[in-house]
Amino acid sequence: MEGWIIDLQILNNKAIVWFRTVKGNVLRIIKEYKPWLYTPRKSLEYSIFNNDMIHVESIKKKIFPNNRGKFLKLTFSDLKLYKIAKEKLKNVYDSDLLHSQKFLFKENLIPLAKYNYYKGELKLIDHRHNVKPPNLSYMFLSVNVYNGKIKGFSYIFDDIKDNVKGSEEYVLRELAYITQKVNPDIFLVNRNNDFLKLLVSRVRIYYEYYTLGRSKVNVRKLKDYRRIVSGRLVFPFHSFMSMGIAGLEEHCRFSMLPPNIAFRWTAGRLVDSRQCYVAYRKGYVIPPSENLNLIIRTAWEIHLYDKGGVLQTPIVGLHENIAVLDFESMFPNIIIKYNVSYETVRKDKVVKRPRGLLVDVVEPFLKRRLYFKHLKKNADEPYRSWADQRQKELKLLLVSCYGYSGNNFNRFGNPLTFEWINRISRITMSKVYKIVRLEGFKIIYSDTDSIFIKREDASKEDFEELACRISKATKLPIKVDRIYKFLVLLPSKNNNIRGVGKRYYGRLLDGSLDYKGIELNRHDTPEYIKETQLKLIKTLLKGENTEDVYRNIDTCRKIIKEAIEELRTGRVPAEKLVLRKTLRKKEYRVLVPHYIAARQLILNKYTQENIIEFIYINNRHKNPMRRVQAWQLYDGRSYDRQKYIKLLLYSSKTILSFFSNL
Amino acid sequence: MGRITNSFRIKLDEAVIRIDRELIDNLINKERKYAFSKVVKAWFEEANALQSFSQPYIYGSLTLLSIIDLQAKINRLEERIKRLERMFDGRLDNRPTDTKQ
């Protein structure tokens, strides 16, 4: 039977693996699990411990980075004993891994990868570069909570749509009933991670036994509230959709964690999990999760070496014929090529042997990412989206490998590692600068692993040839990422003579527009303002040369005037003026507009969501509660025209401030 | 999280704010105040070079860069003066080239 591991539950001395078959059945596979610890042999006589409940074995293990030692391996047949031993023994290894990590590491099982289950054995049949994710079933669940009580819910499952209202007891009973009926693998809910906690606290009032997951649980005795849905997965809708099941699969493959944890954990913790897995497979004992990361050095040495990547301040203004050369995954490539890892870096050099732990962590996933990145360009939908989700998540994880390398919570960490990565990147970039200047190009901006260059007469082939030359000289892959016909590098918002990184807009050779760090990229800019800003860029960058661009300024001014007139006379439909902001805290000290809108929704018995939509009604009103109106409550009254004109002028200024005064 | 030293950009920003507040705000001469904005522009443009310079005292690096920037400006002005002088001479002297001494 083919399928995927979708959930894992550890009970006393067994692991329950929830296996979802390709045909849609769910198997509950029970496997033996016995937790273990290592303690140095010197610290303990094994006769003290050896009994029926604890199996003791004397064993030689590797200690990270370069040592070996004699250990006692204590294997427990009971989780409670394991917990007691962990607390009592001072010097222990492999102790702060989760039980699910230990089980999956030992069995070498990858959640969400494809397995064949036959005669009690799980055999990996997964094609390494299969882009199609597991075809799990989803149930979209919008829960209505008011005053901490669950008042109702609406759901979508395939073609079925319905909503349930009534007493809380009835709503909860219906939720369990419908779930059993449609049997989804994943709940996508409109709430944060605290949803299950709330659900358990409410269910406990009415029921002793409750079945929302794939097994009945006694909710009143439930210690881990997530177990209420064992066998199913629950994710917040908004954060899950960008990652998708394909992205989640990459998290699981990388971290060797069950999906519900792989989704929740930060990138740093996922990197830690991967490192532990690699170290476990290489025969190391796993050290405790924190280390001091102290390398004794003089302040002068720290000053010399503790530096970030190279950033050349952008030359503010309009530029013509610009190419962006971008190193492909520069930091992961540096790690692999130079064998940069915790155990290979010294103050003055990076040694070639032994092969670093970090290299083993990074290399397979870098290959995987590049495969999906290139596949994305040639594949059709939905394969393109899947490949994109995969490569995006892998990019984040790979960058985190670098970022996490000097972190205090990195159990293998060593600050020299990330210093060396930065140092090599700086040396590489200075080589690049020399080559670029020798070939007669001008650098107008560069940021860590990409470089913006121009030369009036340069063709696409010239840029590509240059990239080739750089690649040969640095032995790192670099490519022409994009070529702009025109590019405007913008100054800082606070200081108009100073250029800042990642803030520009331009027209590419194929006529499409590219922009970064401006209002168009922001989620909280109203649609109308975005449309106008886009129109301004399109108009401004029309033409064949820079003189044409300067000539377009008058047309842009006209566009702004027309837009102001439309706003002033109230001709812009209110739908286009809605702002969307994420509510990041429960309480705000200052009554910011989106918090006011959220309060209005609660007062009107609406379910509070994370993304708040609102419209400015009267931004100068004395009563802050009347300055904005939540979009769900909007009654069609006139909006604050002055405020929107101000927003429009602000966004137009971003585009035109370099060229002229508005 | 393990990193001991601040980013150079932060150090530069802090230095500029400090010079602005404690020195430039107290200057009497307005021209000098205005000149500061141009000096700062050169610092930001060359931030990358300043960052890679191992001199630990940032104000020393900034002063050194400003001296270099001033010399570059002087060179530019000298070139311009020479060009203007040549143009000026040429305009007064309209004799044919072969009759010139």
Side-chain angles (χ1 to χ4, degrees):
Chain A
M1 241 177 288
E2 291 180 4
W4 309 271
I5 297 167
I6 61 164
D7 197 12
L8 177 70
Q9 189 179 354
I10 305 287
L11 293 173
N12 214 359
N13 56 356
K14 62 184 178 185
I16 301 168
V17 178
W18 295 97
F19 188 74
R20 160 66 154 75
T21 65
V22 176
K23 287 178 183 169
N25 302 322
V26 178
L27 307 180
R28 190 170 176 266
I29 303 168
I30 296 174
K31 293 216 162 230
E32 191 191 52
Y33 167 68
K34 286 183 178 174
W36 69 88
L37 291 174
Y38 290 101
T39 183
R41 179 150 184 181
K42 281 181 200 166
S43 65
L44 198 71
E45 270 307 316
Y46 71 93
S47 55
I48 301 171
F49 262 103
N50 212 356
N51 59 45
D52 291 347
M53 302 297 279
I54 308 167
H55 175 255
V56 185
E57 186 186 349
S58 180
I59 197 166
K60 272 185 188 172
K61 293 288 279 185
K62 288 201 271 182
I63 306 166
F64 192 81
N66 304 319
N67 296 328
R68 279 176 181 276
K70 286 179 182 171
F71 288 90
L72 292 180
K73 184 183 180 185
L74 312 178
T75 311
F76 301 83
S77 51
D78 187 275
L79 293 189
K80 278 179 195 164
L81 269 177
Y82 168 79
K83 204 178 162 187
I84 293 166
K86 213 169 87 170
E87 283 164 10
K88 297 277 180 199
L89 295 171
K90 279 177 190 167
N91 195 3
V92 282
Y93 291 84
D94 283 29
S95 62
D96 50 12
L97 294 177
L98 298 179
H99 289 302
S100 41
Q101 274 177 304
K102 281 188 173 178
F103 173 75
L104 293 170
F105 287 5
K106 186 168 176 265
E107 300 289 326
N108 207 10
L109 293 174
I110 311 166
L112 295 189
K114 213 172 195 177
Y115 280 90
N116 189 17
Y117 181 65
Y118 183 66
K119 288 184 180 174
E121 288 299 315
L122 283 163
K123 196 182 168 196
L124 189 69
I125 52 162
D126 178 62
H127 183 265
R128 278 200 312 144
H129 293 322
N130 186 14
V131 68
K132 194 180 170 187
N135 63 338
L136 306 181
S137 58
Y138 302 87
M139 179 169 164
F140 294 88
L141 191 64
S142 175
V143 185
N144 186 3
V145 180
Y146 181 64
N147 271 350
K149 290 178 183 172
I150 297 170
K151 292 286 180 189
F153 66 88
S154 52
Y155 72 95
I156 303 172
F157 183 85
D158 287 343
D159 300 332
I160 314 164
K161 270 185 188 177
D162 204 356
N163 53 50
V164 176
K165 277 181 190 171
S167 71
E168 195 172 35
E169 188 182 359
Y170 169 74
V171 169
L172 293 171
R173 192 173 64 228
E174 279 300 296
L175 179 62
Y177 173 72
I178 291 165
T179 305
Q180 294 310 309
K181 205 169 119 190
V182 299
N183 195 17
D185 298 311
I186 301 176
F187 288 111
L188 294 177
V189 290
N190 62 335
R191 303 192 64 81
N192 280 340
N193 290 327
D194 62 353
F195 167 66
L196 288 181
K197 205 173 178 179
L198 172 81
L199 186 73
V200 171
S201 70
R202 300 313 299 169
V203 170
R204 272 177 184 162
I205 300 169
Y206 309 102
Y207 303 103
E208 189 176 358
Y209 289 93
Y210 193 71
T211 320
L212 191 66
R214 282 174 163 141
S215 62
K216 192 189 268 189
V217 286
N218 184 336
V219 268
R220 289 182 186 155
K221 287 183 180 171
L222 205 62
K223 282 180 188 165
D224 179 2
Y225 60 85
R226 290 191 187 91
R227 294 271 58 99
I228 195 173
V229 285
S230 50
R232 298 188 211 280
L233 303 167
V234 181
F235 303 121
F237 171 74
H238 286 292
S239 40
F240 180 79
M241 289 319 278
S242 57
M243 182 193 285
I245 193 77
L248 180 62
E249 187 193 325
E250 293 308 321
H251 276 216
C252 294
R253 281 174 180 273
F254 183 82
S255 63
M256 300 291 287
L257 285 165
N260 57 359
I261 303 176
F263 179 81
R264 223 172 47 235
W265 278 16
T266 57
R269 289 184 81 184
L270 298 179
V271 172
D272 179 58
S273 183
R274 183 78 204 172
Q275 288 180 165
C276 289
Y277 170 73
V278 174
Y280 174 83
R281 287 275 141 197
K282 282 184 150 190
Y284 287 106
V285 283
I286 311 294
S289 65
E290 285 179 42
N291 76 43
L292 273 174
N293 264 338
L294 279 178
I295 304 272
I296 308 297
R297 288 182 295 172
T298 60
W300 175 244
E301 282 173 325
I302 293 172
H303 169 76
L304 281 185
Y305 303 127
D306 188 13
K307 287 177 183 174
V310 174
L311 196 152
Q312 186 188 299
T313 317
I315 299 175
V316 173
L318 172 68
H319 303 274
E320 196 179 349
N321 197 29
I322 302 100
V324 182
L325 306 189
D326 198 6
F327 277 102
E328 230 173 18
S329 306
M330 188 194 217
F331 288 172
N333 270 313
I334 286 176
I335 291 172
I336 296 165
K337 187 174 174 291
Y338 293 89
N339 194 34
V340 185
S341 183
Y342 313 117
E343 69 275 38
T344 59
V345 288
R346 309 281 182 268
K347 275 186 194 175
D348 55 341
K349 63 180 175 185
V350 182
V351 295
K352 291 276 175 201
R353 282 176 193 280
R355 186 181 153 93
L357 178 92
L358 198 56
V359 182
D360 283 331
V361 170
V362 166
E363 195 171 26
F365 290 93
L366 176 63
K367 280 182 187 163
R368 197 172 162 83
R369 188 203 161 214
L370 294 179
Y371 172 79
F372 288 124
K373 193 181 166 187
H374 295 141
L375 181 78
K376 185 187 87 173
K377 288 175 189 163
N378 307 319
D380 298 323
E381 286 298 341
Y383 295 91
R384 185 201 304 257
S385 304
W386 290 331
D388 191 40
Q389 285 173 337
R390 285 177 192 275
Q391 71 89 18
K392 268 186 190 163
E393 292 308 316
L394 287 170
K395 182 181 182 180
L396 173 82
L397 293 167
L398 289 168
V399 169
S400 303
C401 288
Y402 148 75
Y404 195 61
S405 62
N407 190 304
N408 283 346
F409 291 98
N410 185 345
R411 63 187 88 214
F412 303 100
N414 176 351
L416 290 180
T417 319
F418 75 81
E419 283 180 22
W420 265 107
I421 299 170
N422 283 330
R423 206 161 150 188
I424 296 169
S425 98
R426 285 201 305 274
I427 294 166
T428 308
M429 285 310 272
S430 71
K431 269 186 203 167
V432 174
Y433 283 11
K434 271 183 196 161
I435 299 168
V436 166
R437 282 175 186 144
L438 266 174
E439 296 294 322
F441 291 91
K442 189 179 178 187
I443 304 163
I444 56 164
Y445 168 47
S446 92
D447 188 353
T448 318
D449 62 349
S450 66
I451 182 163
F452 289 57
I453 52 168
K454 73 171 183 180
R455 199 179 73 189
E456 268 183 30
D457 57 336
S459 64
K460 194 182 171 189
E461 287 72 33
D462 291 333
F463 289 125
E464 273 163 3
E465 205 182 305
L466 179 73
C468 247
R469 202 159 295 167
I470 293 171
S471 194
K472 268 183 197 165
T474 58
K475 290 173 185 156
L476 292 171
I478 190 170
K479 61 171 180 22
V480 180
D481 195 41
R482 51 200 187 272
I483 301 174
Y484 295 95
K485 173 68 188 158
F486 299 117
L487 177 72
V488 181
L489 292 172
L490 294 167
S492 146
K493 281 180 192 172
N494 310 321
N495 182 344
N496 65 357
I497 56 160
R498 185 191 158 187
V500 281
K502 298 185 177 71
R503 193 167 141 81
Y504 54 81
Y505 62 88
R507 195 186 97 197
L508 297 169
L509 276 189
D510 63 3
S512 60
L513 299 176
D514 185 40
Y515 36 83
K516 210 168 195 180
I518 61 173
E519 287 76 9
L520 258 169
N521 299 89
R522 294 182 61 97
H523 297 295
D524 60 351
T525 309
E527 200 188 325
Y528 183 73
I529 310 280
K530 277 188 180 178
E531 278 175 11
T532 314
Q533 201 178 40
L534 193 65
K535 213 165 154 187
L536 282 177
I537 298 176
K538 261 186 198 169
T539 314
L540 184 69
L541 300 183
K542 260 182 203 166
E544 290 307 309
N545 51 44
T546 46
E547 283 79 27
D548 290 344
V549 175
Y550 279 94
R551 258 179 242 128
N552 292 333
I553 294 171
D554 280 341
T555 325
C556 288
R557 284 206 188 104
K558 274 180 202 163
I559 292 171
I560 299 168
K561 271 184 193 165
E562 280 166 19
I564 292 174
E565 193 56 22
E566 275 197 321
L567 281 170
R568 205 179 55 77
T569 50
R571 276 183 283 152
V572 182
E575 298 85 55
K576 287 192 169 188
L577 298 173
V578 178
L579 290 97
R580 282 173 197 83
K581 281 214 171 196
T582 310
L583 200 66
R584 299 198 186 276
K585 294 186 279 185
K586 282 189 178 171
E587 293 292 329
Y588 282 75
R589 281 185 194 170
V590 183
L591 287 171
V592 286
H594 59 296
Y595 180 57
I596 297 171
R599 301 286 309 157
Q600 289 172 353
L601 286 173
I602 292 169
L603 288 171
N604 285 281
K605 301 184 179 179
Y606 273 81
T607 311
Q608 191 184 324
E609 295 189 19
N610 290 335
I611 308 276
I612 305 292
E613 294 183 323
F614 64 93
I615 185 160
Y616 283 105
I617 297 299
N618 182 358
N619 197 43
R620 282 172 296 177
H621 201 286
K622 281 181 188 171
N623 179 358
M625 293 298 282
R626 302 186 73 175
R627 286 177 191 164
V628 299
Q629 196 165 38
W631 181 239
Q632 288 97 317
L633 305 172
Y634 183 60
D635 50 12
R637 69 175 83 173
S638 170
Y639 46 78
D640 188 339
R641 295 167 189 187
Q642 286 307 315
K643 175 69 186 173
Y644 283 105
I645 290 174
K646 216 174 160 184
L647 288 177
L648 178 91
L649 284 172
Y650 188 77
S651 69
S652 309
K653 205 179 151 192
T654 306
I655 305 303
L656 293 181
S657 61
F658 167 71
F659 296 94
S660 70
N661 289 324
L662 287 175
Chain B
M1 288 295 148
R3 188 95 195 265
I4 303 166
T5 38
N6 277 340
S7 137
F8 177 77
R9 306 266 152 184
I10 295 170
K11 281 187 204 164
L12 180 59
D13 281 342
E14 283 171 359
V16 170
I17 290 168
R18 193 173 162 202
I19 296 170
D20 200 9
R21 276 194 198 146
E22 296 175 17
L23 179 70
I24 307 302
D25 276 358
N26 297 325
L27 291 179
I28 299 164
N29 187 318
K30 279 188 182 173
E31 280 175 9
R32 287 185 187 128
K33 279 191 182 189
Y34 174 70
F36 177 66
S37 63
K38 292 204 166 183
V39 175
V40 171
K41 192 172 181 246
W43 290 346
F44 283 122
E45 278 173 2
E46 297 295 354
N48 182 30
L50 287 167
Q51 184 190 8
S52 51
F53 186 33
S54 62
Q55 156 74 19
Y57 188 59
I58 190 166
Y59 298 97
S61 311
L62 296 178
T63 315
L64 207 54
L65 182 76
S66 289
I67 293 169
I68 297 166
D69 190 46
L70 272 177
Q71 186 57 50
K73 279 183 181 134
I74 291 167
N75 290 351
R76 238 184 359 251
L77 284 172
E78 277 178 351
E79 282 295 316
R80 213 172 155 197
I81 288 166
K82 270 184 200 165
R83 218 170 40 240
L84 285 169
E85 277 174 350
R86 275 201 297 272
M87 276 169 64
F88 192 62
D89 287 349
R91 214 166 32 182
L92 286 180
D93 189 356
N94 59 359
R95 288 172 293 166
T97 323
D98 55 342
T99 59
K100 280 183 190 174
Q101 288 177 348

